[in-house]
Amino acid sequence: MKLKSVGLVAGLALLISAGLAKAEQYRLGLITPPSHQWSVQGQVAADRIKEATEGRVEIMLFPSGQLGSEAQMLQQLQTGALDFAWLTVGEFANRDANYGVFLAPYLVTDIEGAKKALQGPTAQKLLADMNRFGVVGIGWSSAGMRTIDVRGTVSEVGDLKGKKIRTVPNAPELDFWIALGAAPTPMPLPALYDALANGQVDGAQLDHEGTWNTKYYDHLGTILDSRHMMFPMVAVASGRKWQTIAEGDRAIVQEIMRETFGSIIDTYGELDNRYMADLQTTDVPVVSVDRAWFGPAIDKWYEDWRVKAPVLVDLEAELSAQ
Ligand code: BEZ
């Protein structure tokens, strides 16, 4: 009799745990609007993951910073209040300068270069080390190359002096703009449209995709096609939540997300040029500039950041050996 009830309890426990493993809804936060590639491809990945796990892992997307800024999302990931996020490197670079090395100006000049940097050993080591922030690094991807949008006319680098330029809230971007004599104004992406429209900022460091899709060009006098920085995306899971997902399902999530990251990067090779061509149909002049146009500010940036973030030296060596 006793044995029978033990068996019953064990059977019940098995049933309950199988039931729990059956279907779970997870939340994935993003700062990008629904039209952005990260959000679009995030949905593609979520649909594929749901299908491949037969509904056991259903991921719901929350774009446009609906769950808060990236700083807030990182806190939620750490407590387990949020399950996944596709983030810029900003919050990680603010905790460890080494995560800022991908934002080195003209470290790479196109998406192919960005892809190499993000697939190399330095990037993979930084990804693996993310567990010290309470998250699990799933993989790297990228947005388009960084460009510069300005309300007034800019024909030489000196015209940027004193201008309030919106940046992502992170140290490497701030230092770049300080070296140029501008006044960097950190601001999350969802706040940018109004700030540009009402003149709270004079310009922004952004990409052609956002400039076109969000119609920032309505308020611009010059678009600088500078492509001066790559802009990584890192996909992370809450360390606490990740452990609760069955091993086989974790492997599926990882594999599908990583495949998606590869196609996002490849897409930007074409998208950066397509959006630039679109922008050329507006009344705003698009001016192409290169590293030399920025003058000595970039050398100064490297001088400082090779000390602040020693991993930069490894990454430079890795890229020049390729
Ligand atoms: C931005 O804040 O500029 C940004 C964030 C994510 C993707 C692309 C741009």
Side-chain angles (χ1 to χ4, degrees), residues 106 225-226 288-294 298:
Y106 290 106
D225 183 25
S226 51
S288 290
V289 299
D290 59 9
R291 178 174 175 150
W293 186 85
F294 287 94
I298 292 183

Side-chain angles (χ1 to χ4, degrees), residues 161-178:
K161 273 207 166 72
K163 289 216 185 304
K164 278 196 249 161
I165 303 291
R166 173 271 170 174
T167 69
V168 172
N170 72 46
E173 290 199 16
L174 294 180
D175 281 4
F176 173 74
W177 287 98
I178 289 168

Side-chain angles (χ1 to χ4, degrees), residues 12-28:
L12 201 62
L14 259 179
L15 267 180
I16 291 170
S17 66
L20 284 179
K22 237 182 202 162
E24 184 91 32
Q25 287 188 330
Y26 297 90
R27 299 192 307 163
L28 187 157

Side-chain angles (χ1 to χ4, degrees), residues 4-311:
K4 224 177 180 183
S5 55
V6 169
L8 266 178
V9 171
L12 201 62
L14 259 179
L15 267 180
I16 291 170
S17 66
L20 284 179
K22 237 182 202 162
E24 184 91 32
Q25 287 188 330
Y26 297 90
R27 299 192 307 163
L28 187 157
L30 300 123
I31 203 73
T32 48
S35 59
H36 191 276
Q37 275 301 305
W38 293 4
S39 309
V40 172
Q41 295 294 332
Q43 191 55 56
V44 171
D47 292 344
R48 285 187 59 201
I49 289 167
K50 185 174 176 189
E51 197 185 331
T53 60
E54 294 169 336
R56 290 185 302 277
V57 178
E58 184 177 357
I59 299 178
M60 287 172 308
L61 262 66
F62 292 83
S64 301
Q66 285 174 54
L67 302 178
S69 64
E70 292 201 334
Q72 290 164 327
M73 283 194 255
L74 183 53
Q75 280 172 3
Q76 293 163 19
L77 287 160
Q78 288 166 335
T79 62
L82 175 62
D83 309 305
F84 296 97
W86 287 9
L87 302 169
T88 71
V89 282
E91 287 309 312
F92 300 100
N94 289 341
R95 284 164 176 75
D96 175 350
N98 284 310
Y99 284 87
V101 295
F102 301 106
L103 302 175
Y106 290 106
L107 176 73
V108 301
T109 51
D110 56 21
I111 288 291
E112 263 315 297
K115 188 172 173 179
K116 282 186 191 144
L118 293 172
Q119 288 177 347
T122 302
Q124 295 315 311
K125 165 101 179 58
L126 288 167
L127 186 71
D129 285 350
M130 281 189 164
N131 49 15
R132 69 202 161 99
F133 303 117
V135 297
V136 175
I138 298 178
W140 292 107
S141 191
S142 179
M145 297 294 291
R146 298 308 260 176
T147 55
I148 301 167
D149 291 347
V150 194
R151 278 167 63 94
T153 300
V154 171
S155 45
E156 56 184 60
V157 70
D159 295 336
L160 293 171
K161 273 207 166 72
K163 289 216 185 304
K164 278 196 249 161
I165 303 291
R166 173 271 170 174
T167 69
V168 172
N170 72 46
E173 290 199 16
L174 294 180
D175 281 4
F176 173 74
W177 287 98
I178 289 168
L180 288 171
T185 309
M187 183 179 291
L189 193 57
L192 177 59
Y193 188 88
D194 287 347
L196 257 183
N198 66 27
Q200 187 189 337
V201 291
D202 303 309
Q205 174 159 286
L206 199 63
D207 51 32
H208 286 332
E209 179 181 23
T211 309
W212 176 255
N213 281 337
T214 313
K215 295 193 168 57
Y216 293 118
Y217 56 80
D218 281 348
H219 306 286
L220 300 178
T222 311
I223 296 168
L224 294 175
D225 183 25
S226 51
R227 308 193 192 201
H228 59 286
M229 281 177 195
M230 60 186 275
F231 198 65
M233 176 259 271
V234 65
V236 294
S238 158
R240 287 181 176 214
K241 281 304 191 69
W242 189 244
Q243 299 314 323
T244 67
I245 302 176
E247 199 178 335
D249 288 342
R250 291 204 300 251
I252 292 174
V253 170
Q254 218 155 17
E255 188 185 327
I256 292 179
M257 284 200 184
R258 285 182 182 164
E259 278 172 20
T260 310
F261 303 149
S263 59
I264 293 176
I265 296 188
D266 290 339
T267 305
Y268 275 113
E270 188 239 319
L271 278 187
D272 274 350
N273 290 331
R274 202 178 84 205
Y275 284 121
M276 182 180 77
D278 288 338
L279 289 168
Q280 280 167 333
T281 66
T282 69
D283 293 338
V284 186
V286 181
V287 182
S288 290
V289 299
D290 59 9
R291 178 174 175 150
W293 186 85
F294 287 94
I298 292 183
D299 288 341
K300 166 86 174 79
W301 190 97
Y302 275 90
E303 224 175 83
D304 295 345
W305 275 80
R306 284 185 188 122
V307 177
K308 281 187 197 177
V311 157

